[in-house]
Amino acid sequence: MRIAVLGLGYVGLSTSVAFALLGQHVAAYDSDVERMHQLESGSVPIYEPGLTEALAGVVEKNALEFASDLESAVSGSAAVFVAVGTPPGIDGRPDLSYLLSLADELAPQIRDNQVVVLKSTAPPGTDVEFMKQVRLAREKAGLPSLSLKIAVNPEFLREGKALEDSMHPARIVIGLSNSESRPLLEGLYSGFAAPIVWTDPTSAALIKYASNCFLATKISFVNEMARLCSLAGGNIDDVSRGMGMDPRIGNQFLRAGIGYGGSCFPKDTLGLLSIGDDLGYVPRIVRATIDVNNDQPGLLIRQLSSELGDLRSAHIAVLGLAFKADTDDIRESVGIRIANELMANGAIVAVHDYRALKSARKELSCDVRFCADVDAAVHGAVAVIVTTEWPGYAVLDWKHVATLMSGKLILDGRNFLSPPVIARAGLTYLGVGRPARRGLGVEVASD
Ligand code: UGA
C-alpha cells in the first residue's frame, strides 16, 4: 500500500522507515527544503541511533521515496500521515499553526477515498479543527466539499530509541469518529506485533497526554521522595527499587535526578493544563508535577553554593547538554538551564556533551567554554556537575579526572554514577537523595 508521511522530524522519519521496513511504499515529504536536500543526500538531520542506516536501506530498496512536493506525496496514497511539530505556544498551549497550515496545503490534494492520520501530539478536538480548516480552504478555492476521513493516531516513541519504538510499539492507539477507515488502518498496522486500542478521536488524543503526564508524574513523585530521603537520611535508590518491584507500580521512570526535560514532557504537561483550563478544570496533579520539576535544577545550584560559598569566579564543569542520552536534542535541557544559571551566578563554566555541543551554542553565552573532550572541561574545575546520563560519563577514569580538577566535588544530577568509584578516586560524591554525605534535594536551614 502507498502511504504519504508529511513532516520528517523524529516521529515522521521513524514512522516512514518503520512502515517501509514492514512492506508499505512510503512517500515522505517535509516542507523544509534544506531538510529534504539533506535527507536525499543520505544524511539524517537529527542524531538517532540506527536511523541513518535503516533509512538508507529502505531508500535503496525503493520502499521509501522522498517526494518532490506535497502533491506528489499525497497523490495515490491510501493514507496521509501528518507528523508536523506542535511546539509549545507562548501561553503553554500547543502551537497548532504548522498543523493548520498543512490543512490548507492539503485541502486541494486530498480525496474522498484517502484517510488523514494525525500523529502530531495535539489537544482533543484538533481533528475537528483540522477538518474545518480543510473545508474552509476548499470553499475558498471553489472546490467541491468532501467528507474527509480522519484518524487520531498518537505516537509513543522515545528519542534515542525512535526506530526501535516505532517498530515495536507497546500499543497502537487509533481514534476514529466512524469505522469506515478501520479496515484500511487495520491492514496498514497488521505487520506490527502490538495490540490496537480502537477508540474515539478525543480519547486517542487524551491517551497521549495522559501517558506522558503520568510518566512525568512518576519522575516528579520520585524526585519528591528523594527530597524526603535526604531529610530523613534514606537512600532513594533503595526506595525506588523497593517500590518498583510492585508490578502495580513498575520499575521504570523512578530514577531521581534534576528533573525531566525534552520536547515532550515539559510541553505536554503544560498542554494538559491548558486543555483543563479550556474545559474549566485544573488538573492539580499535573500542576504539582510541573512545580516539582521546575524546582529540581535550583536545588542543585543551591547545593553547590552551600558547598562552595560564592559561585563568582568558581570554575564549574557541566557534563551533558542533551536533555537525555543518545540524542543531540537540547530542547528544555536541564543541563543548559544549569549552565545558564551558573553563568548568571558569575561562575566560569566549561561544558561538554558527546552529541549536543553544536546545537547548544545558540542557547549558551559565548563566554561559556565549549569542550570537545571531558578532560578539557574538567581541567581546573572546582566542581563537576553531570547533567545527562551519557554512558561515557559513568565509565570515566575518575582518578584521572581528580588529577585534573582543582577541587573535589562531583554532583551527579542523574543518579547514575557509582558513589564508591568516585570516592575511591578521592572525590566527594553528591547525588539526588542518595546517602553519600548529604544528598541533593534538601534545604535544611540549620545544616
Ligand atoms: C517521551 C515518552 O517517554 C515517549 O513515550 C513519548 O512518545 C515522547 O515523550 C513524545 O511525546 O514524543 P522522550 O521525551 O524521548 O519520550 O524521553 P524520555 O525517555 O521519556 O525522558 C524524558 C526525560 O525524563 C529525560 O530528561 C530523562 O532524563 C528524564 N527521566 C526519565 C528521569 O529524570 N527519570 C527517569 O526515571 C526517566
Side-chain angles (χ1 to χ4, degrees), residues 156-157 159 208 212 253 255 260-261 264-265 323-324 389:
F156 300 97
L157 64 80
E159 288 181 25
K208 168 71 186 198
N212 273 1
F253 283 71
R255 184 168 40 80
Y260 58 77
C264 305
F265 289 174
F323 85 91
K324 66 171 185 179
E389 57 276 46

Side-chain angles (χ1 to χ4, degrees), residues 251-434:
N251 61 10
Q252 295 188 45
F253 283 71
L254 287 181
R255 184 168 40 80
I258 43 174
Y260 58 77
S263 67
C264 305
F265 289 174
K267 168 173 83 98
D268 293 347
T269 44
L270 282 176
L272 196 62
L273 277 193
S274 70
I275 290 167
D277 193 33
D278 291 345
L279 296 168
Y281 177 77
V282 180
R284 286 167 287 171
I285 293 175
V286 179
R287 175 76 270 164
T289 294
I290 296 170
D291 290 344
V292 170
N293 197 59
N294 285 341
D295 281 353
Q296 291 306 109
L299 291 172
L300 186 139
I301 304 277
R302 286 198 287 281
Q303 178 78 1
L304 192 65
S305 303
S306 83
E307 294 291 332
L308 299 180
D310 194 352
L311 292 182
R312 261 175 301 173
S313 300
H315 178 163
I316 317 282
V318 175
L319 302 186
L321 299 171
F323 85 91
K324 66 171 185 179
D326 278 333
T327 182
D328 59 357
D329 196 340
I330 53 154
R331 286 175 287 179
E332 299 289 331
S333 152
V334 187
I336 300 264
R337 187 172 150 191
I338 283 173
N340 277 329
E341 282 189 28
L342 290 171
M343 288 299 288
N345 279 290
I348 299 164
V349 178
V351 295
H352 171 268
D353 192 275
Y354 291 102
R355 292 280 170 185
L357 271 187
K358 196 169 155 216
S359 42
R361 277 187 188 271
K362 56 184 179 299
E363 299 296 328
L364 290 169
S365 149
C366 52
D367 293 331
V368 166
R369 199 149 55 78
F370 290 83
C371 304
D373 63 82
V374 174
D375 281 11
V378 302
H379 194 265
V382 66
V384 171
I385 308 179
V386 183
T387 40
T388 307
E389 57 276 46
W390 281 110
Y393 298 145
V395 296
L396 283 176
D397 177 351
W398 288 98
K399 284 190 178 145
H400 174 63
V401 170
T403 63
L404 297 173
M405 290 176 67
S406 65
K408 287 186 178 310
L409 200 56
I410 308 296
L411 287 100
D412 178 5
R414 295 291 174 193
N415 274 9
F416 80 123
L417 303 176
S418 162
V421 169
I422 307 276
R424 278 201 295 277
L427 296 166
T428 305
Y429 175 90
L430 288 177
V432 182
R434 281 176 151 187

Side-chain angles (χ1 to χ4, degrees), residues 230-231 303 306 438 442-447:
S230 298
L231 288 166
Q303 178 78 1
S306 83
R438 174 159 65 82
V442 59
E443 291 174 290
V444 187
S446 59
D447 190 351

Side-chain angles (χ1 to χ4, degrees), residues 220-231 236 239 243 256 433:
S220 278
F221 185 89
V222 84
N223 282 336
E224 204 155 61
M225 291 306 115
R227 290 187 205 189
L228 292 176
C229 277
S230 298
L231 288 166
I236 192 62
V239 173
M243 285 171 68

Side-chain angles (χ1 to χ4, degrees), residues 55-349:
L55 184 65
V58 287
V59 169
E60 166 101 33
K61 286 194 178 103
N62 286 326
L64 189 150
E65 66 176 276
F66 292 109
S68 51
D69 51 31
L70 186 116
E71 186 181 353
S72 55
V74 172
S75 168
S77 290
V80 178
F81 284 80
V82 174
V84 295
T86 51
I90 305 154
D91 57 358
R93 286 181 161 68
D95 173 3
L96 302 182
S97 56
Y98 296 109
L99 208 56
L100 296 179
S101 68
L102 183 73
D104 284 336
E105 281 181 69
L106 198 59
Q109 322 294 345
I110 200 80
R111 301 285 173 266
D112 273 325
N113 60 348
Q114 295 174 309
V115 54
V116 173
V117 187
L118 296 184
K119 276 220 155 275
S120 311
T121 301
T126 303
D127 54 315
V128 176
E129 228 177 302
F130 192 93
M131 283 195 279
K132 202 165 112 196
Q133 192 80 8
V134 170
R135 198 181 63 237
L136 287 175
R138 285 184 71 89
E139 263 170 35
K140 257 195 213 156
L143 294 164
S145 64
L146 55 75
S147 77
L148 184 65
K149 292 196 275 295
I150 194 157
V152 174
N153 173 214
E155 178 53 56
F156 300 97
L157 64 80
R158 293 161 294 176
E159 288 181 25
K161 296 200 162 48
L163 191 55
E164 186 188 322
D165 285 353
S166 298
M167 292 296 293
H168 307 286
R171 78 301 208 187
I172 293 155
V173 172
I174 304 180
L176 292 173
S177 47
N178 67 56
S179 55
E180 220 183 321
S181 323
R182 183 167 165 160
L184 182 133
L185 291 164
E186 225 156 15
L188 261 181
Y189 275 111
S190 60
F192 295 84
I196 301 184
V197 179
W198 295 101
T199 181
D200 60 89
T202 295
S203 305
L206 280 174
I207 288 171
K208 168 71 186 198
Y209 279 97
S211 302
N212 273 1
C213 290
F214 188 79
L215 291 171
T217 299
K218 272 185 104 172
I219 298 170
S220 278
F221 185 89
V222 84
N223 282 336
E224 204 155 61
M225 291 306 115
R227 290 187 205 189
L228 292 176
C229 277
S230 298
L231 288 166
N235 182 347
I236 192 62
D237 292 347
D238 293 343
V239 173
S240 293
R241 196 156 51 90
M243 285 171 68
M245 281 176 184
D246 183 332
R248 294 170 303 170
I249 296 174
N251 61 10
Q252 295 188 45
F253 283 71
L254 287 181
R255 184 168 40 80
I258 43 174
Y260 58 77
S263 67
C264 305
F265 289 174
K267 168 173 83 98
D268 293 347
T269 44
L270 282 176
L272 196 62
L273 277 193
S274 70
I275 290 167
D277 193 33
D278 291 345
L279 296 168
Y281 177 77
V282 180
R284 286 167 287 171
I285 293 175
V286 179
R287 175 76 270 164
T289 294
I290 296 170
D291 290 344
V292 170
N293 197 59
N294 285 341
D295 281 353
Q296 291 306 109
L299 291 172
L300 186 139
I301 304 277
R302 286 198 287 281
Q303 178 78 1
L304 192 65
S305 303
S306 83
E307 294 291 332
L308 299 180
D310 194 352
L311 292 182
R312 261 175 301 173
S313 300
H315 178 163
I316 317 282
V318 175
L319 302 186
L321 299 171
F323 85 91
K324 66 171 185 179
D326 278 333
T327 182
D328 59 357
D329 196 340
I330 53 154
R331 286 175 287 179
E332 299 289 331
S333 152
V334 187
I336 300 264
R337 187 172 150 191
I338 283 173
N340 277 329
E341 282 189 28
L342 290 171
M343 288 299 288
N345 279 290
I348 299 164
V349 178

